Amino acid sequence: MRIAWTAVACALLSTSLFAAAPRLSNVLPHGVQRGTEAEISLSGTNLEDAEELLLYDNGMEVVEFSHPEDEKQKGRILKVKLRIAADCPLGSQRMRIRTRTGLSDMQNLHVGALPVVEEKEPNTEFDTPQVIENNVTIHGRIDREDVDYFVIEAKQGERITAEVFGMRLGFSSGGNYFDPYVAILNEDRFELATADDTPLVWNDGVASIIAPKDGKYTVQIRDAAYNGDGRAYYLLHIGNFPRPHAVVPAGGKPGETLNLTFLGDVAGPITREITLPTEVPERFAVDVQDDHGIAPSGHVFRLVDLPNSIEQEPNNDRTQATAGTAPGAFNGVIQEPDDFDFFKFTATKDQEFEVEVYAKRIRSALDSVVYVYQMEKGNQVAANDDSRGQDSYLRFKAPADGEYCVAVRDHLRGGSDRHVYRIEITPVTPSVKGEPTEFARYVQPDIVIPQGSGSGVVVNVQRQNFGGPVNFRSDDLPAGVRIECPEGWRTQGSIPVVFYADEAAPVAGKFSKIVTYLADPEKPDSKVEGPLLQKMLMTRGQNNNRVWEEEQIRLPIIVGEKAPFRVWMETPKVPLVRGGSMNLIVKCEKQEGWDEDIQVLLLQNPSGVNSSRSVKIAKGQTEAQIPINAAGNAAIQESLIALRCIAKVGNGNIETCTEHVPLRVEEQYVTFEFAQAAVEQGKEIPVVIKVAKRKDFEGEAEVQLVGLPANTTAEPLKMTKEMEELVFTVKTTAETPPGDNKNVLCQVYIPENGDKIHHSLGTGRLRVDRPLPPKNNAPKPEPKPEPVVKTEAPPKPLSRLEMLRLEQKEKEEAENK
């Protein structure tokens, strides 16, 4: 089969060859004001064929998207005009650039409520600060050992707050990533408030004061360790807006109207009545505002269909526990050091609950420890400290009918109005979510599908409180895209998933919601589903610590231009047996004029199967073989397998994924039982192997005895299905090294379907001995006698008498004749 490379396709490819693997390296400025139109500059590489800025979050739209006229800047700079809605959510807006051949990495753009002012140097000395108006956002950058100062005028009793958005940009990374420090100083250079890591804003800081008198107040910002990596940009909000640090309760039912109390503002608690949205958005936070403005960052807020209970003091022991219900949510704050808060509820025998504490996850200062007690006797039923990072989680089953209580405290026994919590007690219910694994460490895979090809990921599926097969679906994919998850993989923890694009699929892309769901035909009425999500690593600190990640429950699915190559894998003609091996045949077609190495590797190895990950279809070649082998305990099954195919196109790589082909893993057709053997150097010995057949086969199999020591030989044998024994004649020489060889085995090649099934069967044992020398204490042998040579003795001389007798005898004999 040949690829029909049309003139149009070739023309498109020739113009975009140098635009693969786009990069978005910077956004300037890093912040905009909502309710305005703003121009931003996007810089990076391989942007020649950029077509679109994909916005993940709501509240912004692209008005203009253009390439520069300057030829030197093409492929490196894009100009974008944005319209930011007046009600655009405060905080980060996530964005990526889509080109005709790929997708850039992600960057954040900060949206605030205040006008943005650029930092102006020199402002590195306290005596020469940048003069600014109150209630502005400053866009600046901290370099190594840099300090920036800004001065405002304030009246006595006026609230002054400085909140920085720096680490949350996810722009500075590495061992010296930006960790902001902010301070408010008076005219005498005394610090009135400082902040390094404020729990509400992660590693960013918030400093607030009430101005003690009329005058000038200086805001200082720097890195906590005086670092600076050239990417330490910040948005510094300075004004008299409210800035509480916590909210109680920290959650409510969708559509419910609640009275909220915001705690931690320097001017005192703030109460507000709000109506919660009926639909649960992906990210939800409650904002707080007053006559002076709105806080730059919202409060993370849980939207869950559970009744709220709010602590009523005193509730420091179980006898004073605040009454609640289970299922339900208990809300409160550990106000003072050594404070304990107790809530009581009723449960029946064997009723099982999950107890989930939300503290750090709602940006509280609390490091929780949670306990469950029986009310009557006070005996502890369960406890936990940090099963959810620094938050607590436990599951317990009620041992009897009656009242129980749940208690919470701070791990270090601290307490303040920032130590808020929310405890959700719910029945044990099944849940599921999926997350693509990283092919390259710290880099999430992109789903970029060349027309007429595929893009594969391996999804790590987390099942909670259930088991069974899962599948993936979406009604939100780009036109011409489909998802395939082979049925045989669906019960696994790591599941290969391939996105395929039709030949005629439009070049386009979008953020798509993909559902991970229970797909068990034996449980048609069970509904368990959750997201396929990604956690994009933005800031990686020392020791590769994941400092800042952006979680997305919609994935960017991109259809790109057709790749200049197509790869496919031939279906194996024979099975792979346990302990055996085979070579997968991989072929390709390359567009005329393009010829590069293509790396080919399995998307996911079946259980117990290993494959080479260093195989390439070399330049000038159209075929390669991938060696694979099966362990002795490999799963007996048929799996659909696919290949990732990676090649350099222009200045970057393009990756595709092949169609699936079946690979069968079967039990060995025969087994061998080796008899142990020992032989002296220079001699030969028969090695007997008993054959047990498991499956019939036709023809003659080839059997080779391998693993023999050097200078040892054994001629290969033929084996038929009727044979029950094999005998190899093993020949050694005087140069064969002596020793015990325990890795002798047989390589067996059984013919089937025009191919051969390779078995590795063993193990046998061959001991090679030196010839025995004579014993030292044996008696010496007797010398051999000289051989006796028999000769005839000379005749004995006759006496006189004997001579007379002889003469007389001869005379008588003569007379008688």
Side-chain angles (χ1 to χ4, degrees):
M1 180 178 179
R2 302 292 298 175
I3 298 178
W5 298 100
T6 65
V8 173
C10 291
L12 288 173
L13 183 60
S14 64
T15 60
S16 58
L17 271 175
F18 300 95
R23 291 290 310 277
L24 173 56
S25 56
N26 203 356
V27 180
L28 289 175
H30 290 87
V32 294
Q33 182 184 13
R34 68 180 181 180
T36 68
E37 289 190 354
E39 292 185 356
I40 61 173
S41 176
L42 310 178
S43 59
T45 55
N46 296 337
L47 302 177
E48 291 90 343
D49 60 341
E51 288 194 335
E52 183 181 11
L53 181 64
L54 294 177
L55 301 176
Y56 185 84
D57 301 284
N58 296 323
M60 284 199 321
E61 61 176 314
V62 176
V63 178
E64 295 178 7
F65 182 90
S66 62
H67 293 260
E69 295 183 1
D70 186 348
E71 290 294 330
K72 294 181 180 180
Q73 292 187 337
K74 286 185 177 180
R76 300 169 52 209
I77 300 291
L78 295 170
K79 298 294 184 181
V80 178
K81 187 174 184 180
L82 299 170
R83 180 177 295 124
I84 307 100
D87 60 351
C88 180
L90 299 174
S92 62
Q93 289 271 335
R94 294 160 282 186
M95 57 180 61
R96 305 180 78 167
I97 298 172
R98 181 188 65 78
T99 71
R100 293 191 64 83
T101 50
L103 179 69
S104 77
D105 35 4
M106 190 178 78
Q107 295 294 348
N108 282 324
L109 178 70
H110 177 68
V111 175
L114 303 175
V116 179
V117 176
E118 290 293 327
E119 174 211 358
K120 294 180 180 179
E121 297 284 358
N123 65 339
T124 57
E125 299 292 339
F126 178 81
D127 296 331
T128 58
Q130 181 176 342
V131 179
I132 60 170
E133 297 292 329
N134 207 357
N135 292 310
V136 296
T137 296
I138 301 156
H139 177 237
R141 190 181 76 186
I142 293 294
D143 295 319
R144 186 168 181 80
E145 299 184 356
D146 188 14
V147 181
D148 288 347
Y149 292 95
F150 306 92
V151 65
I152 61 168
E153 296 275 354
K155 299 292 185 182
Q156 181 180 0
E158 187 176 1
R159 177 173 50 205
I160 304 173
T161 295
E163 176 181 330
V164 62
F165 195 98
M167 188 276 292
R168 289 174 287 169
L169 275 175
F171 193 67
S172 175
S173 191
N176 295 326
Y177 72 88
F178 185 34
D179 182 9
Y181 171 94
V182 293
I184 301 175
L185 301 88
N186 63 14
E187 293 179 85
D188 297 322
R189 204 169 183 168
F190 286 103
E191 292 180 338
L192 305 179
T194 64
D196 179 4
D197 300 333
T198 302
L200 176 68
V201 292
W202 285 266
N203 288 49
D204 289 334
V206 174
S208 296
I209 65 167
I210 298 296
K213 63 179 182 179
D214 294 357
K216 293 182 178 181
Y217 293 87
T218 299
V219 176
Q220 177 199 80
I221 181 170
R222 60 174 173 83
D223 182 86
Y226 290 94
N227 289 318
D229 60 0
R231 297 173 64 86
Y233 286 91
Y234 62 83
L235 283 304
L236 178 61
H237 309 281
I238 300 176
N240 55 9
F241 46 79
R243 182 60 284 169
H245 289 258
V247 61
V248 177
K253 296 180 179 180
E256 183 180 24
T257 299
L258 284 176
N259 289 315
L260 304 182
T261 301
F262 294 90
L263 304 172
D265 189 274
V266 291
I270 301 169
T271 59
R272 293 287 185 271
E273 181 182 88
I274 68 166
T275 299
L276 301 175
T278 56
E279 299 293 329
V280 180
E282 181 178 337
R283 293 197 299 190
F284 181 69
V286 292
D287 296 321
V288 58
Q289 59 184 355
D290 61 13
D291 295 339
H292 301 290
I294 186 170
S297 301
H299 295 260
V300 178
F301 200 82
R302 296 275 300 160
L303 286 176
V304 183
D305 191 14
L306 292 172
N308 269 335
S309 298
I310 301 175
E311 67 158 326
Q312 301 296 319
E313 294 284 1
N315 68 336
N316 295 345
D317 61 54
R318 77 178 195 279
T319 64
Q320 299 174 312
T322 299
T325 61
F330 305 147
N331 302 266
V333 55
I334 302 296
Q335 289 275 12
E336 300 173 352
D338 287 324
D339 190 12
F340 255 96
D341 284 353
F342 286 77
F343 298 83
K344 62 182 179 181
F345 60 94
T346 301
T348 59
K349 186 178 186 302
D350 293 332
Q351 193 171 9
E352 196 168 6
F353 289 106
E354 290 182 301
V355 179
E356 191 95 47
V357 179
Y358 290 90
K360 291 298 183 183
R361 287 175 288 177
I362 58 172
R363 308 317 311 154
S364 167
L366 179 69
D367 181 2
S368 65
V369 183
V370 68
Y371 306 85
V372 176
Y373 301 95
Q374 285 185 297
M375 283 290 290
E376 183 179 358
K377 299 179 180 179
N379 57 303
Q380 181 178 302
V381 178
N384 182 257
D385 177 11
D386 54 4
S387 285
R388 296 286 194 262
Q390 287 181 284
D391 284 347
S392 308
Y393 164 85
L394 60 84
R395 179 189 293 188
F396 86 98
K397 180 185 288 186
D401 293 351
E403 280 195 324
Y404 294 81
C405 66
V406 60
V408 64
R409 67 169 174 87
D410 183 71
H411 179 74
L412 298 177
R413 298 188 179 275
S416 73
D417 56 5
R418 301 182 183 189
H419 286 64
V420 298
Y421 59 83
R422 177 178 170 88
I423 306 172
E424 293 182 359
I425 302 183
T426 58
V428 174
T429 56
S431 64
V432 65
K433 65 179 179 180
E435 183 177 352
T437 58
E438 297 174 347
F439 294 132
R441 198 174 183 189
Y442 310 117
V443 180
Q444 274 287 317
D446 292 330
I447 302 172
V448 178
I449 320 162
Q451 292 168 316
S453 189
S455 177
V457 295
V458 176
V459 178
N460 178 32
V461 176
Q462 300 178 40
R463 301 171 178 84
Q464 297 290 334
N465 306 316
F466 82 100
V470 301
N471 200 358
F472 304 87
R473 68 169 186 266
S474 178
D475 56 5
D476 190 30
L477 297 172
V481 174
R482 70 185 189 279
I483 304 175
E484 282 191 16
C485 174
E487 185 174 354
W489 290 96
R490 296 177 186 176
T491 59
Q492 305 296 312
S494 294
I495 302 177
V497 179
V498 184
F499 296 77
Y500 292 106
D502 297 338
E503 292 272 356
V507 174
K510 63 186 299 189
F511 289 101
S512 300
K513 185 175 182 179
I514 300 165
V515 179
T516 307
Y517 68 96
L518 174 64
D520 191 343
E522 297 183 1
K523 302 175 183 177
D525 298 328
S526 296
K527 182 179 180 181
V528 184
E529 59 183 43
L532 176 61
L533 59 86
Q534 271 188 315
K535 292 179 181 177
M536 308 298 295
L537 178 60
M538 305 297 289
T539 300
R540 177 158 55 102
Q542 292 182 349
N543 301 318
N544 295 319
N545 182 31
R546 292 175 180 263
V547 176
W548 185 252
E549 292 178 312
E550 292 283 354
E551 183 176 290
Q552 299 176 296
I553 64 171
R554 290 176 292 123
L555 274 58
I557 311 297
I558 307 300
V559 178
E561 290 181 353
K562 182 179 291 186
F565 59 89
R566 186 177 75 89
V567 180
W568 66 94
M569 179 170 36
E570 291 191 347
T571 300
K573 297 179 180 180
V574 296
L576 174 66
V577 296
R578 283 178 165 178
S581 63
M582 68 165 51
N583 289 332
L584 297 174
I585 307 301
V586 183
K587 296 183 178 181
C588 77
E589 290 179 333
K590 300 179 180 180
Q591 181 199 354
E592 185 178 352
W594 181 90
D595 187 13
E596 298 285 348
D597 292 345
I598 305 174
Q599 183 185 8
V600 287
L601 62 164
L602 262 66
L603 175 61
Q604 174 80 331
N605 289 329
S607 178
V609 175
N610 292 309
S611 63
S612 173
R613 306 187 67 81
S614 59
V615 176
K616 294 181 179 180
I617 302 177
K619 290 182 179 181
Q621 302 296 318
T622 58
E623 185 173 328
Q625 296 186 9
I626 301 178
I628 64 172
N629 61 78
N633 60 350
I636 303 297
Q637 62 185 10
E638 180 174 283
S639 303
L640 291 177
I641 57 173
L643 295 178
R644 295 174 59 210
C645 313
I646 306 166
K648 183 179 179 182
V649 179
N651 293 331
N653 287 338
I654 284 182
E655 179 170 336
T656 68
C657 189
T658 66
E659 297 284 346
H660 293 95
V661 299
L663 173 68
R664 288 182 294 127
V665 176
E666 293 188 4
E667 191 56 86
Q668 296 164 341
Y669 282 30
V670 293
T671 60
F672 284 0
E673 182 182 345
F674 286 71
Q676 295 187 16
V679 62
E680 287 188 359
Q681 290 172 311
K683 294 186 178 181
E684 63 182 50
I685 189 173
V687 174
V688 181
I689 301 172
K690 292 183 179 180
V691 179
K693 183 184 65 176
R694 286 179 170 171
K695 183 178 179 180
D696 280 339
F697 60 91
E698 299 300 325
E700 291 183 329
E702 299 175 11
V703 187
Q704 298 175 2
L705 190 65
V706 298
L708 298 172
N711 300 308
T712 305
T713 59
E715 291 296 322
L717 299 177
K718 299 291 185 179
M719 180 183 71
T720 65
K721 63 183 179 181
E722 291 83 11
M723 296 177 67
E724 297 181 352
E725 185 176 272
L726 295 173
V727 180
F728 284 94
T729 300
V730 176
K731 298 178 181 180
T732 67
T733 69
E735 302 301 321
T736 299
D740 195 1
N741 302 276
K742 299 180 180 180
N743 295 316
V744 178
L745 55 89
C746 283
Q747 302 287 2
V748 183
Y749 301 88
I750 297 178
E752 184 175 293
N753 198 25
D755 204 342
K756 293 180 180 179
I757 305 169
H758 174 240
H759 293 61
S760 290
L761 303 176
T763 56
R765 184 175 179 180
L766 175 66
R767 193 181 75 240
V768 178
D769 300 326
R770 290 187 177 92
L772 291 175
K775 296 181 180 180
N776 294 330
N777 57 357
K780 294 183 178 180
E782 293 290 338
K784 294 182 179 179
E786 292 293 332
V788 178
V789 180
K790 292 183 178 181
T791 58
E792 292 186 2
K796 185 178 179 180
L798 297 176
S799 66
R800 178 62 182 166
L801 180 60
E802 291 174 334
M803 293 177 62
L804 292 174
R805 290 177 177 171
L806 180 60
E807 291 176 356
Q808 181 61 38
K809 184 179 180 181
E810 292 176 351
K811 183 178 179 181
E812 290 176 354
E813 289 177 353
E815 291 177 354
N816 292 329
K817 289 183 179 181

